[in-house]
Amino acid sequence: MENSVSEAMRSSAGLDDRRKRLLFRSWHRGMREMDYVLGTFANTAIEDMSDQELDEFELLMQLPDPDMYKWLSGSVPVPPNQNSSVVQKIRKFHKSES
């Protein structure tokens, strides 16, 4: 049986407001696949992200799900202007899950 989002999302206790907001947005994208891709990454990484990485993650959150899913899943190359360190970390995170 598949976990619901509320069961899969880590607790936001102890996180600052910016990280809490990003964690929530990671799990509530509107496209189930992106909820999983960004949410599971955020569960493990959000607490230790630098300000620069949080900036990159916030910018990534503004992009359309279908395009981002193609890049993060590796089905199309990541455009050079979107290939941030956070995008690389998300791709590496999900490759290590396989």
Side-chain angles (χ1 to χ4, degrees):
M1 185 169 158
E2 190 174 314
N3 289 341
S4 72
V5 168
S6 62
E7 292 170 342
M9 192 169 123
R10 67 160 273 177
S11 168
S12 62
L15 297 177
D16 59 56
D17 289 342
R18 185 181 189 191
R19 285 177 170 81
K20 286 179 186 177
R21 186 174 52 254
L22 283 168
L23 179 63
F24 180 85
R25 287 178 62 202
S26 297
W27 279 106
H28 296 86
R29 296 289 303 171
M31 186 175 155
R32 180 176 289 215
E33 293 85 351
M34 287 308 298
D35 291 350
Y36 175 79
V37 168
L38 294 177
T40 56
F41 171 76
N43 278 357
T44 62
I46 198 80
E47 190 170 2
D48 298 321
M49 284 180 158
S50 69
D51 286 339
Q52 171 72 32
E53 290 170 325
L54 291 171
D55 291 344
E56 291 175 7
F57 201 46
E58 285 174 331
L59 289 173
L60 188 64
M61 291 295 190
Q62 296 174 21
L63 300 173
D65 283 346
D67 295 338
M68 194 183 343
Y69 183 75
K70 290 175 190 171
W71 308 335
L72 297 176
S73 67
S75 63
V76 299
V78 179
N81 66 331
Q82 299 297 337
N83 201 10
S84 67
S85 65
V86 170
V87 167
Q88 293 171 21
K89 286 182 179 186
I90 295 168
R91 292 186 70 194
K92 183 177 180 181
F93 173 80
H94 284 289
K95 282 184 181 180
S96 68
E97 273 193 335
S98 304

